[in-house]
Amino acid sequence: MKKKTRILLFLFLAMLLFISCRKKEELREKKKIKIGISLYDSYDTFISDYMKAFDGEVAEKRSKGYEVSVSRYNAARSQALQNEQVEEMLQNSCDVLCVNLVDRTAPSEIIDMAKKKNIPVIFFNRELVEEDLSQWNRLYYVGADAKQSGVLQGELIAKDVLEDGEGENGAVTLSPEVDKNQDGKIQYIIFEGEPGHQDAIMRTEYATGTLMKESIPLERLGYGIANWNRAEAQSKMMQLYSEFQDRIELIISNNDDMALGVIDAYDKIAVSKDNRPLIYGIDGTKVGLRAVEQGNLRATVYNDGRGQAKALFQLAFQLASGEETKGEEGGIRKIIRLPYSKVTKENCAEFLEEEERDSKQ
């Protein structure tokens, strides 16, 4: 009897040991993940800062004993090249793909390739068309609401344009600081990111739409397509200034880099700060925040790239490792959007301090 009991005890302990080793092996496997990333343009200032924050999340996970491998590609604004990069990442057995689309209207080839391999795809920053996101249940999006950024930019402008910050019974009094020629309307120029790009369209539409809701009389002198790029914006601004010169009272830019390009142009033309129009951006990049602090950029709208990078990494890790965090509706959220914030000279120090603190971590 004792011998039989010893045998049973031995078998029980052996089974426990087997289960323990199996669990340890499973845990070890779960701690190894491979993430593939393709960027529309790695030289974009906002995307560059975004990826630095993403790298910080990767480093933190690695410090906890996880083996996180990241393969990163620059599509250099070519959708064809990005498609090739996605194919290569799939061939290299990435567990999850993070794609910053070049052309938001052309994700189908990427989706088809990932679907065949059953590899989830997280699109980020540049939102694809809603119908495309519903093509497959393993597609996700991390970003922000472009409409909100336009509304907030419009509100920032309206506060500065209106005398005392508000209109009264539909009749408005414009600030002489902005309406320099005192003609009762604001002459402005728009700097747009890309032709047909959703964020550019929404930011422009809702910024100007917000001003119209405030009954602010507007006259658009012109616009420049500068592809989110500082150097292109500088060149466009030089051309526009030669045509309109001091008639320009307001410049609305879809992002900080183009707004900074406008500032560069005014520096090159040697127009004093007092004689420049008010210039507004969106994104709240480090260079943009410093320009607000220095009074060169009137205001910007903070796009929480660090928060988005954290959300992107967490989602990628969950999908790659099989860990599933329950969301409000009982599963991983298909769409994650973080809110924008207004930034003026009065509060930009808070955002700069936070940026500096995070960069040191």
Side-chain angles (χ1 to χ4, degrees), residues 224-235:
I225 302 289
N227 296 302
W228 313 106
N229 185 274
R230 184 169 180 166
E232 285 190 42
Q234 179 184 344
S235 176

Side-chain angles (χ1 to χ4, degrees), residues 226 228-235 256-258 260-262 264 287:
W228 313 106
N229 185 274
R230 184 169 180 166
E232 285 190 42
Q234 179 184 344
S235 176
D256 284 352
D257 262 16
M258 293 188 297
L260 293 169
V262 170
D264 293 340
V287 284

